[in-house]
Amino acid sequence: KRGAPARKHGRAGKPHATIFRLSRDEHTLTWTPRKSHTLKPTRRGGQFAEPGRLLHLSDAVDLCIGRESAVFKRRATDCNDHLSLSIVLRGALPAPPSADEDEDGVLGMGRRETLDLSFDSEVNLGLWVAALRHLLHRRLRVTPLDA
């Protein structure tokens, strides 16, 4: 909850050093660039985060270990495959037949489908995997995916 370093891979696959934090209520994951002292944060849900630099864990549906996502495949890097993971988001799921627009009224799926991370050690990866699996399991056990 204090913050953990990881490399976040952008949609083009380029890695960025970031610090991730879990909200006190364990419902939101936020991140900021590691060398970011000039950002002016906005207040969201009791936590400070730049717009677009947060993930509501209710949007996460799965966790994939390795470099299997489209983001990782776009950019071949020398990172170790076994030190990477992707958080699969609702945007990666096929839209129901009755849904022509997303909740923002935008046609199609313009939102992120995965949040792709890599780590510098097996210990850090293991801690992230254990924590994320626990949070996802707890959320899916309490809240159906369709809610």
Side-chain angles (χ1 to χ4, degrees):
K1 292 182 184 180
R2 291 178 295 159
R7 285 182 305 281
K8 179 188 161 297
H9 295 258
R11 290 186 188 191
K14 184 176 178 183
H16 306 280
T18 54
I19 300 293
F20 284 82
R21 288 179 182 82
L22 184 61
S23 63
R24 287 188 182 119
D25 65 3
E26 298 182 344
H27 288 97
T28 306
L29 188 63
T30 61
W31 61 91
T32 55
R34 192 178 278 180
K35 295 182 179 180
S36 171
H37 299 295
T38 59
L39 291 177
K40 295 181 181 177
T42 57
R43 187 130 182 123
R44 288 189 177 197
Q47 293 288 329
F48 286 98
E50 274 296 300
R53 295 181 188 257
L54 62 85
L55 168 68
H56 297 285
L57 290 175
S58 60
D59 290 334
V61 295
D62 200 5
L63 186 64
C64 296
I65 310 302
R67 301 175 61 82
E68 299 299 320
S69 74
V71 168
F72 280 131
K73 290 179 180 181
R74 279 188 206 113
R75 184 173 175 107
T77 64
D78 57 358
C79 292
N80 294 326
D81 289 353
H82 70 286
L83 296 178
S84 302
L85 66 83
S86 297
I87 302 172
V88 180
L89 307 176
R90 286 182 190 260
L93 298 175
S98 62
D100 293 334
E101 298 180 353
D102 67 14
E103 64 188 28
D104 298 325
V106 179
L107 293 173
M109 300 218 114
R111 294 194 290 174
R112 177 182 295 281
E113 294 182 0
T114 58
L115 179 61
D116 302 283
L117 309 173
S118 59
F119 303 89
D120 57 358
S121 72
E122 290 181 13
V123 171
N124 284 340
L125 173 71
L127 291 171
W128 274 81
V129 169
L132 289 168
R133 282 186 176 160
H134 171 75
L135 292 168
L136 289 175
H137 177 73
R138 185 178 68 186
R139 185 192 63 80
L140 292 173
R141 187 179 63 216
V142 172
T143 306
L145 185 59
D146 298 330

